[in-house]
Amino acid sequence: MGELNARDEWIEKWRQKHDIAEPEFVDGAYSQAIDEFLRYFNGNLNQFSFETTLLGTEFQKQVWKTLEEIPYGEQWTYKDIAKSIGNIKALRAVGGAINKNPISIAIPCHRVIGSDGSLTGYASGLDHKRFLLHHETASEHWLHQTS
């Protein structure tokens, strides 16, 4: 219980520091998100549509928006993301923003791989990233790219 209170206090201080309004809770939003995740994992949804208000820097939000543009079943590199946001030299910053992604899967940071096709960091672990990529491609030939 102490950890939750500490987290809530930190969030409240961060929210006030960045002059962010108190969160609004929309009726039905949670059930819509749950429904979409179930549809995704059952292979019946390729893109999430539930509404979110993401808390982050403008740069992080720009990177997260770009992640949403990666088509289902495809992978982009960190360099692709940096090019897409118009700052090819921002590879490390892009990686840092991806690392702070608050809604992995829905904001598909698992679709980002190394320039050599290798799997790179994923907050939930590389096994989960591998699972998600395989889930989206459903290809037996996919694993050679990211082993």
Side-chain angles (χ1 to χ4, degrees):
M1 188 71 147
E3 285 184 29
L4 289 177
N5 289 336
R7 184 200 65 194
D8 289 346
E9 288 173 16
W10 182 90
I11 291 171
E12 182 60 22
K13 286 179 184 176
W14 187 91
R15 187 182 68 74
Q16 289 178 4
K17 177 182 176 184
H18 296 282
D19 196 30
I20 295 173
E22 192 162 335
E24 294 180 32
F25 295 95
V26 178
D27 288 337
Y30 182 74
S31 58
Q32 180 186 356
I34 294 294
D35 176 63
E36 288 188 20
F37 276 106
L38 289 172
R39 289 176 36 222
Y40 169 82
F41 282 112
N42 285 318
N44 299 316
L45 184 76
N46 294 343
Q47 187 169 0
F48 293 88
S49 64
F50 60 85
E51 287 188 46
T52 60
T53 302
L54 301 175
L55 303 178
T57 67
E58 289 307 312
F59 181 80
Q60 288 170 334
K61 291 177 188 178
Q62 183 182 23
V63 170
W64 300 336
K65 183 171 175 38
T66 302
L67 294 176
E68 292 178 312
E69 297 171 9
I70 303 172
Y72 181 90
E74 292 185 21
Q75 295 87 46
W76 287 11
T77 65
Y78 293 91
K79 187 175 183 178
D80 294 332
I81 303 294
K83 278 184 188 176
S84 182
I85 65 170
N87 191 346
I88 190 64
K89 295 183 179 186
L91 294 174
R92 283 182 170 282
V94 164
I98 290 171
N99 184 33
K100 302 292 186 204
N101 176 6
I103 313 176
S104 61
I105 303 176
I107 299 175
C109 56
H110 60 278
R111 296 179 188 157
V112 181
I113 59 174
S115 292
D116 63 356
S118 65
L119 286 184
T120 54
Y122 188 63
S124 298
L126 293 181
D127 287 342
H128 288 124
K129 184 172 187 166
R130 188 175 290 111
F131 168 83
L132 291 167
L133 291 173
H134 185 68
H135 169 73
E136 291 186 2
T137 60
S139 167
E140 60 189 60
H141 303 291
W142 172 81
L143 289 176
H144 79 280
Q145 296 177 350
T146 57
S147 48

